Amino acid sequence: EPFDLKELIHEVIEELEQKAAKRDVLIRFFYDKEKIYKTIADKDKIFRVCQNLISNAIKYNNDGGEVEVHLKTHKNHILVEVKDNGKGIPPEDLKRIFERFYRVEKSRSREGGGTGLGLAIVKHILEGHKSKISVSSTLGKGSIFSFELPWEKAPKKEEIKTSI
Ligand code: ATP
Ligand code: MG
């Protein structure tokens, strides 16, 4: 079932806006207005992926922090990036955050709560789409989580003409 990733992410952001507002966190969404970000994937599952990543970016941010979601295209792929300027993740924990129930330091977790399943689900869903989750993080600066999905480009106008 093809769908537009830009519209799906707008829905996710809309759903999480309350949660962000409570912490005075601003969510900014960047994409090219001229482009259609059509992909073929399990829409409900990709909704969960985006929901988990954006909700983490809010939860592990500082009050008054910012979350940026970027859609970029290259060749036949759409790249989704979720950035926060929160506390970041220590390098020794970075490899383990995708394990079930793994949470960085319990003291930090007190505030937000959670089960430590979100990223394990994200990883599992993306693997099922032949994709993978990437992360880079700097302590005290923030984190960037990203993944790719196939981009179903609209055919160019000339191509439409010649194929009729
Ligand atoms: P759940 O998502 O099940 O409610 P959770 O958020 O603790 O609980 P995950 O989403 O799997 O679980 O994240 C695992 C751990 O990785 C978190 O507990 C947190 O310590 C760390 N983490 C995840 N995202 C970020 C982020 N954007 N910034 C800093 N730490 C993060
Ligand atoms: Mg989570």
Side-chain angles (χ1 to χ4, degrees):
E1 337 73 75
F3 62 92
D4 192 317
L5 209 43
K6 153 175 68 52
E7 283 159 24
L8 182 97
I9 291 173
H10 268 301
E11 286 175 39
V12 174
I13 292 174
E14 204 175 318
E15 197 191 277
L16 291 171
E17 214 116 63
Q18 295 265 39
K19 180 185 156 100
K22 275 187 198 146
R23 305 270 323 286
D24 195 26
V25 168
L26 179 68
I27 308 175
R28 307 170 76 197
F29 187 20
F30 298 83
Y31 53 84
D32 183 345
K33 284 205 176 79
E34 311 285 299
K35 268 181 196 159
I36 294 168
Y37 294 88
K38 193 167 108 177
T39 190
I40 296 179
D42 185 321
K43 193 177 174 181
D44 293 344
K45 287 182 175 166
I46 299 304
F47 189 96
R48 286 189 78 186
V49 165
C50 297
Q51 196 180 38
N52 280 329
L53 294 178
I54 298 171
S55 107
N56 280 348
I58 298 166
K59 184 156 73 167
Y60 302 109
N61 217 316
N62 306 306
D63 290 354
E66 279 191 15
V67 174
E68 289 188 6
V69 184
H70 292 261
L71 283 184
K72 295 170 183 175
T73 57
H74 65 101
K75 294 184 180 164
N76 296 317
H77 287 89
I78 304 171
L79 176 72
V80 182
E81 285 181 343
V82 179
K83 297 190 198 183
D84 67 72
N85 56 1
K87 32 203 115 186
I89 302 160
E92 63 270 27
D93 293 302
L94 219 42
K95 293 168 284 277
R96 303 202 57 194
I97 53 171
F98 300 102
E99 294 172 15
R100 271 182 278 170
F101 308 117
Y102 191 83
R103 310 192 72 213
V104 179
E105 57 171 290
K106 302 290 180 296
S107 57
R108 172 198 272 190
S109 319
R110 244 189 343 222
E111 316 145 24
T115 53
L117 280 173
L119 288 177
I121 293 167
V122 164
K123 186 177 178 233
H124 177 80
I125 290 174
L126 291 176
E127 278 171 1
H129 284 78
K130 295 187 171 73
S131 181
K132 62 179 179 357
I133 181 77
S134 302
V135 60
S136 79
S137 187
T138 310
L139 261 187
K141 280 204 152 185
S143 311
I144 307 175
F145 287 81
S146 62
F147 65 93
E148 290 185 335
L149 285 175
W151 185 28
E152 297 295 314
K153 270 183 267 193
K156 293 195 197 102
K157 283 190 180 104
E158 310 91 85
E159 282 172 6
I160 298 171
K161 223 189 276 172
T162 50
S163 65
I164 291 170

